[in-house]
Amino acid sequence: MKYVEVVADASSTDNIRALADKSKTPDFRLGAVDDEGMRSMRILVSDDKIQSLLDNLQNLLGAQHSARIVVLAVETTLPKPKDEKRKLEDAAIAAREELYAEVEKSSQLDLNYLVFIALSTVVAAIGLVENNVAVVIGAMVIAPLLGPNLALSLGTALGDVSLMRRSVIALLTGVALAVLISALIGKLWAFNLSSSEFMSRTNAGLDSVVLALASGAAAALSLTARQSSALVGVMVAVALLPPAAALGIALGQGNYGFAAGAGLLLAVNVVCVNLASKLVFFIKGVRPRTWLEKEKAQRAMVIYIAGWLVTLTILLLVIYSRRAVSM
């Protein structure tokens, strides 16, 4: 359930009440009219009706620049809804605005993001060198690579070029920083590149493709279902952070063969994570609100998916050619 608070011109009261009735909201409350002729209204709405209500409210109040719509989370309500109603709410995906706010916040290129990338890279590099699985997992937990990937896919689904641009910059910056730090570690720390943890991140195969596709799909599904993304973040980190660290270490030591393998694995994983998450957003029906935005998003989606599929095909051909040479 969500509580939607609307502050709008009092003349819109009847229209807003009609929208609430259309969404079959269980509760609708009117506030007093202030000196400026504005009135606050609160609407209790189920999760399966929230998106349509928000879209209708935005269409109605679009010309009122002073109008505000605030969505408040509801922990529980009494009396409890019937089982059928609760099942509908549980199956409902998060509202478009909720998804946007979540991924935008987690994909911001700020100091915290860079510090987390740096710390997780140092931990991952140590885990790879020392062949310590627990340390590598610890790096996965703190790596903030989930946000930019989901933001890129959601930005494409909504046709939001600005969000796509910011997410690409954040993702490329994060990966570049991880490679740079791990390269410095490889340059300054003398060790043998023989641990199984390191070697596994320099060999891309079909299993790597499946892992990355599953990671991306699970990440998007977790977001739309409003589930905790902590474990999903670990899955995405499995696909992205260790190969980036392995790439940097190999470059730092001048082993360009291992670097090529790690770079290939990293590229495959980035493509698969984004492709799978985009497909989940599409299947879940995440779309823009207006017709014009839907047209833009549809064009972006076609270009996006086609581009990733072509890139993945090229990378798979490179994988099989490398394996044929090594046999």
Side-chain angles (χ1 to χ4, degrees):
M1 300 286 279
K2 296 289 187 297
Y3 228 145
V4 179
E5 182 170 0
V6 182
V7 180
D9 193 282
S11 61
S12 304
T13 300
D14 291 339
N15 291 330
I16 295 175
R17 187 195 298 272
L19 293 180
D21 292 339
K22 181 180 178 181
S23 297
K24 299 179 180 180
T25 57
D27 192 67
F28 179 82
R29 301 286 172 176
L30 290 176
V33 180
D34 62 19
D35 296 337
E36 299 178 352
M38 304 293 288
R39 162 177 272 171
S40 68
M41 291 158 266
R42 280 199 168 189
I43 309 169
L44 184 64
V45 58
S46 59
D47 288 332
D48 56 312
K49 301 289 185 181
I50 182 66
Q51 188 65 77
S52 60
L53 177 62
L54 290 177
D55 289 346
N56 290 331
L57 287 172
Q58 290 179 80
N59 291 333
L60 174 65
L61 304 175
Q64 296 187 29
H65 300 296
S66 57
R68 292 291 181 270
I69 302 172
V70 181
V71 181
L72 307 174
V74 176
E75 294 294 333
T76 188
T77 60
L78 295 174
K80 294 181 179 180
K82 296 180 180 179
D83 290 341
E84 308 86 52
K85 187 64 177 176
R86 190 164 62 243
K87 289 180 181 178
L88 287 175
E89 289 196 50
D90 291 342
I93 69 170
R96 181 193 316 111
E97 292 77 10
E98 184 180 351
L99 294 175
Y100 192 96
E102 182 69 22
V103 300
E104 185 182 38
K105 179 177 63 176
S106 61
S107 63
Q108 293 179 354
L109 182 57
D110 54 17
L111 181 60
N112 287 334
Y113 176 80
L114 297 176
V115 169
F116 273 118
I117 288 290
L119 294 175
S120 59
T121 301
V122 171
V123 175
I126 294 174
L128 293 175
V129 170
E130 297 295 334
N131 200 31
N132 192 320
V133 179
V135 174
V136 175
I137 293 175
M140 297 170 190
V141 172
I142 60 177
L145 295 175
L146 175 60
N149 285 277
L150 290 180
L152 178 56
S153 295
L154 183 63
T156 308
L158 298 179
D160 191 324
V161 178
S162 176
L163 180 61
M164 294 169 61
R165 185 185 303 111
R166 295 197 305 271
S167 61
V168 168
I169 293 174
L171 177 60
L172 292 179
T173 302
V175 172
L177 180 60
V179 172
L180 176 61
I181 293 175
S182 54
L184 290 175
I185 293 175
K187 186 72 174 179
L188 301 176
W189 186 4
F191 50 82
N192 293 324
L193 302 180
S194 59
S195 73
S196 59
E197 285 295 310
F198 176 84
M199 296 299 295
S200 66
R201 269 74 184 196
T202 62
N203 185 24
L206 184 59
D207 57 337
S208 306
V209 174
V210 174
L211 172 61
L213 288 172
S215 299
L221 186 61
S222 169
L223 185 66
T224 57
R226 299 182 298 273
Q227 301 294 326
S228 173
S229 61
L231 293 180
V232 180
V234 174
M235 291 185 67
V236 174
V238 167
L240 297 179
L241 182 65
L247 171 60
I249 291 172
L251 289 175
Q253 290 213 348
N255 193 320
Y256 300 112
F258 285 162
L264 179 60
L265 177 60
L266 177 61
V268 167
N269 290 340
V270 169
V271 171
C272 290
V273 165
N274 284 276
L275 176 61
S277 58
K278 175 65 192 83
L279 291 175
V280 170
F281 285 138
F282 176 75
I283 293 172
K284 285 291 187 177
V286 178
R287 304 284 192 279
R289 178 171 58 91
T290 66
W291 177 84
L292 180 59
E293 291 173 333
K294 289 179 180 178
E295 288 291 310
K296 291 170 54 181
Q298 186 174 8
R299 289 195 298 269
M301 178 195 67
V302 172
I303 296 173
Y304 182 94
I305 292 180
W308 283 133
L309 286 175
V310 170
T311 305
L312 179 59
T313 301
I314 295 173
L315 291 174
L316 286 174
L317 291 175
V318 174
I319 290 174
Y320 282 111
S321 64
R322 283 171 57 88
R323 290 200 168 189
V325 171
S326 62
M327 291 178 62

